[in-house]
């Protein structure tokens, strides 16, 4: 007999090691399973994860200040807000360039709106300045064109600031003028950018904005007045060696222009801005710009908890502006109260449905489901008719003599109206989980408890109720989470005392357009829900929650 004992690794039929073959088969199986659930994962990612991530980002994002006023933000680093004096001339000089460029792009009002969230009234300052800041550039435009008329031409600026390769492509594009052909993307001249940094940044924005509109080529477009302001500041500080290093067809204009700038009549940027609006001399406005000049800010979250950033650190907002903590507390306790009311009313109904004959229970279940077939607005409007002072309920109470006609009950536009309307709306979401769990509880358990001497109450409390807790947990979580996110019903029946934090979130999204604050409020609300969910899991146990 020959020795057939195998000393090497076990192999599959194709000769590969069995371990490798099994791992490959398992990998293919996991890949097929992943492909099956991929559409659902993509759907959840796009409709759930991505919006939450975007909300979290918007709650701290603050790049509009540094992107709109980059030179001003850098100049403000040397300013001490505790000096109780507005910044000096260099800061206003930087503001002159930044503000004119922003006004040409029509984004200065957006910046004003952003800062207005932190310092109410500052948006009007930005709007007013946008109408007058252009005069600064026109003043310098007149001085440069008086020295040399060539500065009026867009081709002069293009030849000075554009690279030789871009000028060549631009000439080819202008000569061809093919339908649909895109203008070559602007490329700056490196030595011009080194010698004239402010002008290079402003012209880059000018070229990008001009090419975005697509009406004319960059060399054919009239230069912005802001370019002349930036050029005057650059030439006043540039060294002759740096200017001499600039090449291109228009380089010969720089030396005479630098000489002309040295002979310009002194110009006070600070006096000009204060002349446009005296609020530019207010320290508080500059404090706001400086405090919110970072790319990211905790300001939205601070506002969401009635705090604000100050020169000395975080401080409490003025008393008349403290509303959000009150709304958060109101949202939480009213949602809990509404959930308790739903449980108080829904438990007997679910018990009745679970213990009736199937035919009778099915008929009554239609009444439970009937509200789902009626519009939410219709149901809420019906409660407005029922609860108002001249409504049906007050009329019946007056007719019965329980309430005097001159002292009708106020049951709408307050917390009572919100609780009643939302309890009615959310009641089916409590009944259905309770009913589905109670249907699984055998009636023989109660009979057995009674046969052992338990009273009706003892049998219910010691035997039946513990088995219905999973349904209570499911219904409570469902009602509570739905309640804290409702904003239509509280808006219609809550008045000023019955609105939730969700109403302020909707207001900031649709009306004030303060999306950052809305995102911060939503993030805090999400965190509060997750915290309560964690506490609930520790106390009750999420594994005990069942829908039947």
């Amino acid at each position: 007999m020959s020795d057939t004992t195998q000393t090497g690794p076990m192999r599959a039929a194709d000769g590969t090691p069995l371990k490798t073959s099994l791992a490959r088969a398992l990998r293919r199986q996991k890949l097929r399973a992943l492909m099956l659930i991929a559409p659902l994962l993509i759907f959840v990612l796009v409709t759930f994860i991505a919006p939450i991530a975007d909300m979290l980002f918007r709650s701290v994002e603050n790049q509009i200040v540094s992107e709109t006023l980059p030179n001003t933000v850098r100049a403000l680093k040397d300013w001490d807000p505790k000096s109780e004096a507005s910044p000096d001339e260099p800061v206003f000089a930087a503001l002159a360039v930044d503000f004119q460029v922003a006004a040409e792009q029509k984004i200065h009002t957006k910046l004003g709106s952003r800062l207005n969230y932190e310092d109410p009234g500052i948006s009007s300052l930005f709007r007013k300045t946008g109408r007058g800041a252009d005069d600064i550039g026109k003043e310098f435009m007149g001085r440069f064109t008086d020295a040399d008329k060539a500065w009026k031409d867009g081709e002069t600026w293009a030849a000075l600031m554009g690279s030789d390769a871009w000028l060549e492509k631009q000439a080819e594009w202008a000569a061809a003028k093919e339908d649909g052909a895109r203008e070559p993307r602007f490329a700056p001249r490196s030595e011009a950018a080194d010698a004239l940094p402010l002008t290079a940044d402003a012209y880059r924005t000018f070229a990008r904005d001009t090419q975005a509109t697509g009406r004319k080529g960059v060399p054919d477009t009239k230069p912005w007045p802001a370019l002349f302001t930036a050029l005057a500041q650059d030439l006043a500080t540039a060294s002759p060696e740096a200017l001499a290093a600039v090449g291109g067809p228009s380089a010969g204009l720089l030396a005479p222009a630098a000489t002309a700038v040295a002979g310009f009549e002194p110009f006070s940027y600070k006096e000009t801005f204060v002349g446009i609006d005296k609020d530019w001399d207010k320290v508080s406005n500059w404090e706001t710009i400086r405090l919110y000049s970072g790319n990211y800010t905790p300001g939205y979250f601070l506002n969401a908890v009635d705090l604000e950033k100050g020169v000395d650190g975080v401080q409490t907002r003025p008393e008349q502006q403290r509303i959000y903590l009150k709304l958060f507390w109101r949202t939480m306790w009213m949602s809990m109260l509404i959930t308790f009311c739903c449980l108080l009313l829904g438990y007997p109904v679910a018990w009745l449905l679970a213990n009736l004959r199937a035919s009778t229970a099915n008929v009554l279940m239609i009444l439970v489901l009937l509200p789902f077939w009626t519009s939410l607005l219709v149901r809420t409007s019906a409660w407005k008719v029922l609860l108002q002072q001249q409504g049906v309920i007050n009329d019946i109470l007056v007719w019965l003599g329980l309430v005097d006609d001159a002292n009708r009950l106020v049951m709408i536009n307050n917390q009572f109206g919100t609780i009643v309307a939302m309890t009615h709306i959310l009641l089916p979401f409590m009944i259905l989980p309770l009913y589905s769990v109670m249907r699984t509880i055998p009636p023989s358990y109660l009979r057995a408890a009674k046969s052992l001497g338990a009273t009706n109450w003892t049998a219910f409390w010691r035997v039946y109720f513990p088995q219905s807790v999973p349904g209570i947990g499911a219904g409570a979580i469902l009602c509570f989470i739905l309640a804290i996110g409702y904003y239509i019903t509280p808006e219609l029946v809550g008045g000023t005392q019955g609105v939730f934090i969700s109403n302020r979130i909707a207001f900031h999204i649709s009306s004030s357009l303060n999306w950052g604050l809305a995102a911060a409020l939503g993030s805090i609300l999400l965190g509060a829900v997750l915290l309560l969910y964690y506490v609930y899991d520790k106390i009750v146990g999420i594994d005990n929650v069942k829908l039947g």
Side-chain angles (χ1 to χ4, degrees), residues 281-447:
D281 202 31
K282 289 176 61 176
V283 176
S284 60
N285 290 330
W286 288 102
E287 286 178 353
T288 302
I289 296 174
R290 188 175 185 272
L291 286 172
Y292 294 93
S293 60
N295 290 334
Y296 303 98
T297 176
Y300 291 123
F301 279 101
L302 293 176
N303 290 345
V305 292
D306 297 334
L307 300 174
E308 63 182 359
K309 291 174 63 177
V311 178
D312 299 323
V314 178
Q315 57 192 27
T316 306
R317 296 185 70 87
E319 185 174 357
Q320 65 273 17
Q321 298 179 17
R322 301 177 203 166
I323 60 172
Y324 295 115
L325 287 179
K326 180 179 179 181
L327 286 176
F328 273 118
W329 169 245
R330 179 192 297 169
T331 300
M332 290 300 171
W333 83 262
M334 285 187 65
S335 297
M336 292 179 183
L337 180 58
I338 290 167
T339 302
F340 177 76
C341 291
C342 289
L343 175 62
L344 198 63
L345 296 175
Y347 197 97
V349 175
W351 183 87
L352 182 65
L353 292 174
N355 290 277
L356 287 174
R357 293 197 309 267
S359 58
T360 306
N362 290 336
V363 173
L364 295 179
M365 182 59 70
I366 295 176
L367 300 179
V368 176
L369 299 176
L370 191 61
F372 290 121
W373 305 337
T374 308
S375 170
L376 175 64
L377 288 175
V378 172
R379 284 181 280 166
T380 304
S381 300
W383 278 111
K384 288 180 69 70
V385 174
L386 291 171
L387 296 176
Q388 61 183 321
Q389 285 188 291
Q390 303 300 324
V392 176
I393 295 178
N394 265 303
D395 285 345
I396 293 176
L397 293 175
V398 170
W399 180 71
L400 293 175
L402 299 177
V403 174
D404 185 68
D405 187 48
N407 298 304
R408 289 174 173 249
L409 301 179
V410 180
M411 297 181 290
I412 200 69
N413 295 328
N414 52 26
Q415 294 182 6
F416 179 81
T418 300
I419 293 171
V420 171
M422 289 189 62
T423 299
H424 169 249
I425 291 170
L426 297 178
L427 187 58
F429 295 99
M430 179 65 75
I431 294 175
L432 294 176
L434 284 171
Y435 169 73
S436 63
V437 171
M438 289 178 177
R439 289 283 293 178
T440 64
I441 302 175
S444 59
Y445 287 3
L446 286 177
R447 292 196 296 268

Side-chain angles (χ1 to χ4, degrees), residues 112-263:
S113 298
R114 164 66 188 98
L115 296 176
N116 196 72
Y117 301 147
E118 316 299 340
D119 186 5
I122 200 172
S123 60
S124 60
L125 171 64
F126 276 72
R127 285 195 300 270
K128 183 177 180 180
T129 306
R131 295 188 291 266
D134 211 35
D135 294 338
I136 300 175
K138 291 179 180 178
E139 169 68 22
F140 284 101
M141 179 190 294
R143 295 183 181 186
F144 273 99
T145 54
D146 287 343
D148 195 321
K149 299 295 183 183
W151 288 111
K152 276 188 176 182
D153 298 331
E155 293 181 357
T156 300
W157 285 91
L160 177 65
M161 305 306 301
S163 66
D164 292 332
W166 176 75
L167 291 173
E168 184 178 348
K169 293 179 181 179
Q170 186 74 20
E172 294 175 358
W173 174 81
K177 288 292 184 181
E178 296 178 358
D179 293 336
R182 296 186 62 182
E183 185 177 3
R185 187 174 181 179
F186 173 74
R189 186 180 297 275
S190 60
E191 60 270 21
D194 293 336
L196 310 169
L198 288 176
T199 311
D201 289 341
Y203 193 82
R204 188 182 294 109
T205 304
F206 162 76
R208 184 169 59 245
D209 187 79
T210 301
Q211 291 180 335
T213 58
R215 298 191 188 98
K216 292 182 180 180
V218 175
D220 300 326
T221 304
K222 183 179 178 181
W224 287 348
L227 295 173
F228 294 91
T229 306
L231 182 61
Q233 294 183 23
D234 281 334
L235 291 177
T237 57
S239 64
E241 294 79 9
L243 296 179
V246 179
S250 299
L253 295 173
L254 289 178
T259 303
V261 168

